[in-house]
Amino acid sequence: MAIKSVLKMGEPLLLQQARPVEQFDIPQLHALIQDMRDTMADLNGAGLAAPQIGVSLQVVIFGFEKNQRYPDADEVPFTILLNPKLTPLSEDMEEDWEGCLSVPGMRGIVPRFVRLRYQGFDPYGTEIDRSVSGFHARVVQHECDHLQGILYPMRIRDFRQFGFTDVLFPGQQIIDD
Ligand code: NI
């Protein structure tokens, strides 16, 4: 459908709580998701939330094929998740680098739950219920944070581990997610 421009940090809409989807399997919803897919693919992202293209609805997409940018990260199946609910499965947290298409050119170390269960719906209203860990769990937490108006810099504990990608990782080709 269309590649949309991604809102950047500072935009008030990114700080809003997104509304739940009330009607599944309608053309407007499929069109929104296609725009999100086109935009994420164009930017080589690992995930995208609807508010990032200016739509304050509880829709996220994510997925990651090995070897784009994080050679050590696990594959994450491509997923379209609506009205998500996250439940940590333990209190264990781990820290790792994150970036965001709404915070271009930067990276920071963000603590996330290691294991969690996520529930929600696909675009047709079919339930999704998965228990995941590691990078999959991290991506879900990052994307679902967008629906609560939270950007990853708001979760950083040590701002000495936040900076510009080309300075932090010189010579490496790292694309924003
Ligand atoms: Ni993001």
Side-chain angles (χ1 to χ4, degrees):
M1 297 280 287
I3 294 165
K4 299 288 185 180
S5 59
V6 174
L7 301 184
K8 289 192 280 191
M9 186 168 65
E11 190 72 53
L13 193 140
L14 290 173
L15 303 177
Q16 284 179 21
Q17 164 90 38
R19 285 176 292 110
V21 173
E22 290 175 355
Q23 281 188 287
F24 298 102
D25 196 19
I26 56 170
Q28 301 93 307
L29 179 63
H30 292 303
L32 166 66
I33 289 163
Q34 192 59 51
D35 287 348
M36 291 173 67
R37 295 180 75 141
D38 293 345
T39 305
M40 184 173 110
D42 180 58
L43 297 168
N44 242 330
L48 191 71
Q52 291 183 276
I53 60 164
V55 178
S56 193
L57 272 179
Q58 292 181 20
V59 179
V60 300
I61 64 173
F62 52 86
F64 177 77
E65 286 176 22
K66 230 174 170 48
N67 209 3
Q68 275 175 309
R69 235 172 330 137
Y70 302 85
D72 304 328
D74 306 329
E75 272 195 5
V76 179
F78 180 75
T79 304
I80 303 165
L81 181 66
L82 283 54
N83 301 352
K85 181 182 154 223
L86 307 191
T87 311
L89 294 176
S90 80
E91 289 177 11
D92 294 349
M93 302 194 79
E94 65 188 358
E95 302 200 309
D96 209 343
W97 292 100
E98 289 187 19
C100 180
L101 294 171
S102 294
V103 191
M106 303 198 79
R107 299 244 129 189
I109 289 273
V110 184
R112 299 286 185 186
F113 289 108
V114 178
R115 280 176 287 279
L116 65 85
R117 176 184 184 186
Y118 65 92
Q119 295 161 282
F121 300 91
D122 78 4
Y124 299 93
T126 305
E127 282 184 43
I128 293 172
D129 187 342
R130 288 182 186 153
S131 294
V132 298
S133 61
F135 186 62
H136 191 156
R138 174 170 297 275
V139 170
V140 173
Q141 290 169 86
H142 177 113
E143 296 312 325
C144 292
D145 262 359
H146 278 294
L147 307 180
Q148 309 289 330
I150 297 168
L151 298 167
Y152 83 82
M154 296 155 72
R155 299 232 182 246
I156 291 174
R157 289 175 178 159
D158 179 357
F159 282 96
R160 290 172 299 185
Q161 294 181 300
F162 180 48
F164 292 95
T165 311
D166 59 345
V167 179
L168 287 164
F169 305 102
Q172 287 185 40
Q173 282 202 315
I174 295 180
I175 303 156
D176 290 305
D177 52 9

